[in-house]
Every structure is written in structure tokens, then in C-alpha cells.
């Protein structure tokens, strides 16, 4: 006879080991992404010092140009050896979930980690979130292989990818929602449980080892907006939605644009590095993702012309790097670009006497959320991400929901494809 008690005990044992393996995945993701963020910050500080020195000592200009070309050369040959390190990395996770790509997770993890630190830390307009998602997913795949778990590897890859973005922004709920909305595009008990365990294990580990703080520090508590401002929020949502369409067109379209250039691939690959270095000599404010732009309304808002210049420059610099497939993400830059657009719209309304200038920062945060929603098409994640990034300072959910919904609708009406899905489609063609 079959011993039913042994079968039940076996199921319990397997369940415990599976949960333990998800916890292990989360702990490793928390440590690796925490180190990833620290390394980017350290390199960024060193590069900023070099650019500052170049103002007084021109010899540093030659040194910085040589350094950028050296970094570009190293990453070019690294990407030739492993093309799976190119770009943001999120479409690679899609391919791994669909068994479209045969990725050597261990080697790709190391290469992506190093390459992304160099590109983001050196000052290219790229973000940390895409690489964080890919690195997280690769860790999940490695853990699955080593534990020899009978659980589907999709749950390990997807949940660890979500943990990557959660640690990148110190936003556990957003990481959970991003996994459901963007990676799995569905939820069930296994998706929710595996993701929740991995995400919270990762965030707790990162907080214990590297400190617990929101992605945006010192955000003032927002006042509840007057309902009479809903009309202006709708206008903001329309502009943000159109900006999302423009963003997708420019950034994704840049890939096709660069393909038309019939020059040596190595020389072509160095173009983003060389141009970015030259631009940073002219305007160091454009360094990397330029997250301080979000706080411009609080630190001394520049002229409307300057805001428009920064908005256009960030889109072009991101398109330049992204078009060549340089390792690095787009999510942080798209948030910054969205905040600049919100600043532009609010400043214009304030100049016309239609808006109190004290609301310019509020509009910047609202636009940041709407931009995410229009480009990535994950509105719930966008809303919660902004709340978590601001440390809960922003709690006007009606306003943020209106802007997010309107921006999302405009992008749908314009038939602009979701950003990461579009990239994935281009990869598997």
C-alpha cells in the first residue's frame, strides 16, 4: 500500500526547500544589486571630480576623452563576446522566460555587472534599473540550476528580476507589481508567492547591508491639490502622453537610425562615448541620469528655455546610447525626462498666471509617473513607484491616477507600443 503520510511529508519538504531557495535568491539579489548601486555611485563621483578638474587643467580633457574611448573599446569587445549584455536587459529576461535565448547566466551576469557600472558610472545617459532587472533574473536562473528545484525556472527568473528593480529603487511593492504587470503579465498564487518572498528578502537584505532610504531623499510632504485643478491635470496628462510617444519613437527608432550608417562597427560603437564626453565638458549637469533635475523646482528653477534644452538633450543622449545597444537602462532617464516635461508645463502655466508656482514641483512628480505609464504601460506600478520613491511624501492618489490614466490613454490612441515589448519584438525578429 502507498504510505500517504510519506507523500504528504515529501510535499511539505519540497515546499519548504522551494521557499528557502526563493529566499536565497532574494538575499543574493539584494547583495549584488546593492553592490552594483554602490559601485556606480563611486565611479560617478570619481568621474565628476575629473570633469571638475578639467576646467582648471586642460590636460584632463585629453585624459577624459582617452578614458571614454578606452571604456567604449572594452565594452565593445565584451559585447561582441556576449551580445546578451547589450541594452537594458529587460527584453533578455523576456526571452529567457520564453526559452528564446540560450544565456550563459554566470558569465553574462559578471559581464553585465561590469559593463553597466562603466557605462552608467562614466556619465552616459543610462539608468541602473534595466541592468538590475537582468542581473536579478540571471541570479534567479543560477539559483534554480544549483538547487535543482522541480519548480518551473520561470518563477525563479521572473521573481528575481522583480527583486532587482525593487532593490534598485528601494521600492518592494513596485518590484512586486512590476513583476506581475510587466514580466509575467498575470498573477496567480505561485507568481505572487515566489515574487513576494524573493522581493522582500532582497530589499530587507539590501536595507540591512547598505541602508534603508527612499530613492528620492528630502522630498517635502505634499499638500492635497484642489479639485478645481483637475482640468490642468488632464492637460498635463495629454502633454506627458505625447512625450511618451515621442520618447518611444526617438529611443527605439535610434536603433534603426544607427543601422543605416555604413561605417566600421567599432568606430560606430564609440560615437556615444565620444559625443557624451564632449557634451559633458560643455554642460556637466547632463551627467548620467541627471536625477537632480527632478528637484529643480525646489533648488532654483532655471529659465523655461533652459528646461526645454535639458528635456531635448536628455532624450537625444539616451537615444544615442540606446541606439548602439550600450549596456544600461532607460527607466531612470525616462522618469527624469518626465519630471522635466512636468516642470515645463507647470512653469508655462505659472508664467500665464494659471498656476501657483508652489505646485511646479508637484506637477514634476505627477509627470514623472505619467511618463512611466505612457512609455512602459504599467500604470499601477508607476503610481506606487512614485509613492515609494518619495518615501510616502506624495499621497494625492487622485491626481497621480488622473495624469497616469490620461497619459496611458494618449499613448494607446497614438498606437505607440509598450517600450520593453517593442524592444523584445525587434530582438526576436
Amino acid at each position: 500500500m502507498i504510505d500517504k503520510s510519506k507523500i504528504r511529508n515529501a510535499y511539505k519538504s519540497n515546499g519548504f526547500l522551494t521557499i528557502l531557495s526563493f529566499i536565497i535568491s532574494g538575499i543574493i539579489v539584494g547583495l549584488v544589486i546593492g553592490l552594483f548601486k554602490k559601485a556606480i555611485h563611486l565611479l560617478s563621483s570619481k568621474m565628476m571630480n575629473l570633469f571638475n578638474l578639467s576646467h582648471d587643467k586642460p590636460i584632463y580633457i585629453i585624459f577624459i576623452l582617452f578614458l571614454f574611448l578606452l571604456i567604449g573599446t572594452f565594452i565593445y569587445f565584451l559585447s561582441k563576446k556576449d551580445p546578451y549584455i547589450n541594452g537594458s536587459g529587460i527584453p533578455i529576461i523576456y526571452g529567457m522566460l520564453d526559452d528564446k535565448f540560450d544565456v550563459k547566466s554566470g558569465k553574462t551576469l559578471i559581464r553585465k555587472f561590469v559593463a553597466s557600472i562603466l557605462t552608467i558610472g562614466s556619465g552616459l545617459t543610462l539608468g541602473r534599473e534595466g541592468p538590475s532587472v537582468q542581473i536579478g533574473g540571471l541570479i534567479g536562473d543560477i539559483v534554480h540550476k544549483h538547487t535543482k528545484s522541480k519548480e518551473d525556472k520561470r518563477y525563479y527568473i521572473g521573481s528575481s528580476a522583480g527583486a532587482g528593480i525593487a532593490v534598485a529603487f528601494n521600492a518592494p511593492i513596485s518590484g512586486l507589481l512590476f513583476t506581475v504587470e510587466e514580466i509575467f503579465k498575470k498573477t496567480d498564487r505561485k507568481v505572487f508567492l515566489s515574487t513576494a518572498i524573493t522581493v522582500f528578502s532582497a530589499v530587507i537584505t539590501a536595507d540591512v547591508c547598505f541602508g534603508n532610504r527612499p530613492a528620492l531623499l528630502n522630498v517635502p510632504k505634499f499638500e492635497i491639490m484642489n479639485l478645481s485643478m483637475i482640468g490642468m491635470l488632464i492637460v498635463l496628462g495629454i502633454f506627458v502622453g505625447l512625450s511618451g510617444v515621442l520618447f518611444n519613437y526617438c529611443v527605439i527608432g535610434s536603433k534603426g537610425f544607427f543601422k543605416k550608417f555604413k561605417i566600421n562597427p567599432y568606430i560606430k560603437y564609440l560615437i556615444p562615448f565620444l559625443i557624451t564626453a564632449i557634451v559633458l565638458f560643455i554642460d556637466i549637469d547632463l551627467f548620467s541620469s541627471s536625477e537632480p533635475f527632478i528637484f529643480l523646482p525646489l533648488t532654483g528653477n532655471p529659465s523655461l528655455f533652459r528646461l526645454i534644452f535639458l528635456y531635448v538633450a536628455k532624450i537625444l543622449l539616451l537615444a544615442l546610447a540606446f541606439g548602439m545597444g550600450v549596456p544600461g537602462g532607460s527607466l531612470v532617464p525616462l522618469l527624469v525626462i518626465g519630471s522635466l516635461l512636468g516642470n515645463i508645463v507647470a512653469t508655462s502655466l505659472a508664467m500665464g498666471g494659471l498656476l501657483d508656482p508652489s505646485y511646479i514641483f508637484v506637477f514634476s512628480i505627477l509627470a514623472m509617473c505619467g511618463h512611466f505609464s505612457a512609455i512602459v504601460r504599467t500604470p499601477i506600478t508607476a503610481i506606487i513607484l512614485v509613492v515609494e520613491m518619495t518615501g510616502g511624501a506624495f499621497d494625492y492618489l487622485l491626481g497621480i491616477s488622473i495624469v497616469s490614466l490620461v497619459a496611458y490613454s494618449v499613448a494607446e490612441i497614438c498606437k505607440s507600443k509598450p517600450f520593453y515589448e517593442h524592444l523584445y519584438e525587434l530582438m526576436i525578429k
Side-chain angles (χ1 to χ4, degrees):
M1 292 181 63
I2 298 174
D3 191 335
K4 293 183 179 180
S5 64
K6 287 185 178 180
I7 295 175
R8 283 195 297 269
N9 289 335
Y11 276 123
K12 287 179 182 178
S13 177
N14 287 334
F16 172 76
L17 291 175
T18 299
I19 291 172
L20 181 61
S21 60
F22 283 126
I23 293 173
I24 291 170
S25 294
I27 291 172
I28 298 172
V29 171
L31 290 172
V32 172
I33 301 302
L35 287 170
F36 180 63
K37 291 165 64 178
K38 286 289 184 182
I40 290 172
H41 177 72
L42 179 62
L43 180 57
S44 296
S45 299
K46 299 296 183 184
M47 291 301 298
M48 288 288 283
N49 289 338
L50 283 176
F51 276 104
N52 290 331
L53 287 171
S54 69
H55 295 303
D56 300 321
K57 300 177 181 178
I59 188 66
Y60 278 97
I61 294 176
I62 298 173
F63 176 71
I64 291 170
L65 287 173
F66 174 77
L67 187 59
F68 266 73
L69 293 176
L70 185 64
I71 291 172
T73 300
F74 174 73
I75 295 173
Y76 171 77
F77 287 105
L78 201 63
S79 65
K80 292 293 286 183
K81 196 167 187 176
D82 188 352
Y84 293 123
I85 69 169
N86 288 331
S88 77
I90 294 177
I92 301 298
I93 295 300
Y94 292 163
M96 292 176 68
L97 292 173
D98 294 340
D99 287 323
K100 296 285 186 181
F101 304 139
D102 182 22
V103 181
K104 307 300 181 185
S105 295
K107 292 180 179 179
T108 300
L109 170 61
I110 296 170
R111 291 165 180 160
K112 184 73 172 188
F113 185 89
V114 173
S116 298
I117 289 171
L118 290 174
T119 56
I120 301 166
S122 63
L124 272 70
T125 296
L126 292 165
R128 63 185 177 270
E129 84 301 324
S132 297
V133 171
Q134 185 181 7
I135 289 169
L138 293 170
I139 290 170
D141 188 41
I142 292 168
V143 170
H144 175 263
K145 289 173 180 175
H146 280 79
T147 57
K148 295 181 173 60
S149 171
K150 294 181 180 178
E151 197 67 66
D152 191 332
K153 72 172 184 178
R154 287 173 52 86
Y155 295 107
Y156 283 86
I157 295 172
S159 63
S160 296
I165 198 169
V167 175
F169 288 110
N170 195 21
I173 306 301
S174 300
L176 179 58
L177 290 172
F178 184 83
T179 308
V180 171
E181 278 195 295
E182 181 62 25
I183 296 177
F184 285 109
K185 294 181 174 57
K186 68 169 188 175
T187 186
D188 55 35
R189 285 180 296 177
K190 281 189 176 182
V191 167
F192 179 82
L193 185 62
S194 61
T195 302
I197 292 171
T198 311
V199 165
F200 284 99
S201 298
V203 173
I204 290 170
T205 300
D207 287 352
V208 169
C209 296
F210 303 101
N212 179 14
R213 61 180 187 175
L216 299 178
L217 293 174
N218 303 318
V219 176
K221 184 72 175 178
F222 292 96
E223 294 182 7
I224 298 297
M225 299 175 70
N226 195 309
L227 288 176
S228 63
M229 299 176 68
I230 287 179
M232 282 186 280
L233 295 182
I234 293 173
V235 171
L236 176 64
I238 292 171
F239 275 102
V240 171
L242 291 173
S243 175
V245 174
L246 174 66
F247 179 95
N248 282 358
Y249 177 80
C250 291
V251 176
I252 295 180
S254 64
K255 290 185 172 294
F257 177 77
F258 273 108
K259 285 181 179 178
K260 295 178 182 178
F261 285 87
K262 305 300 181 183
I263 59 176
N264 184 284
Y266 167 65
I267 300 298
K268 186 161 63 171
Y269 197 85
L270 294 180
I271 291 174
F273 294 89
L274 183 61
I275 292 179
T276 298
I278 294 170
V279 169
L280 293 179
F281 285 126
I282 300 169
D283 193 339
I284 192 61
D285 288 342
L286 294 168
F287 187 89
S288 196
S289 297
S290 304
E291 289 174 67
F293 287 168
I294 297 171
F295 291 95
L296 285 177
L298 300 179
T299 58
N301 224 17
S303 67
L304 184 60
F305 176 80
R306 171 72 173 166
L307 289 171
I308 294 171
F309 164 75
L310 294 176
Y311 170 81
V312 174
K314 292 311 290 182
I315 290 181
L316 293 179
L317 286 172
L318 176 61
L320 185 66
F322 220 80
M324 285 306 306
V326 176
S330 61
L331 206 155
V332 178
L334 76 82
L335 291 173
V336 172
I337 292 166
S339 73
L340 285 170
L341 181 68
N343 194 339
I344 291 168
V345 173
T347 299
S348 301
L349 291 172
M351 289 172 65
L354 300 174
L355 182 69
D356 189 314
S358 64
Y359 283 107
I360 293 177
F361 186 50
V362 178
F363 271 54
S364 297
I365 299 297
L366 288 168
M368 195 166 69
C369 172
H371 217 226
F372 186 114
S373 181
I375 294 167
V376 184
R377 299 295 216 292
T378 54
I380 300 174
T381 301
I383 293 168
I384 301 303
L385 179 62
V386 168
V387 173
E388 289 189 294
M389 285 180 69
T390 58
F394 195 96
D395 58 6
Y396 185 44
L397 292 180
L398 176 59
I400 204 169
S401 299
I402 289 171
V403 175
S404 182
L405 175 62
V406 173
Y408 184 103
S409 300
V410 169
E412 284 289 315
I413 291 169
C414 294
K415 300 186 185 304
S416 176
K417 293 181 179 180
F419 186 76
Y420 296 117
E421 288 183 24
H422 194 178
L423 286 175
Y424 180 47
E425 288 176 8
L426 294 175
M427 290 185 69
I428 60 176
K429 277 185 178 179

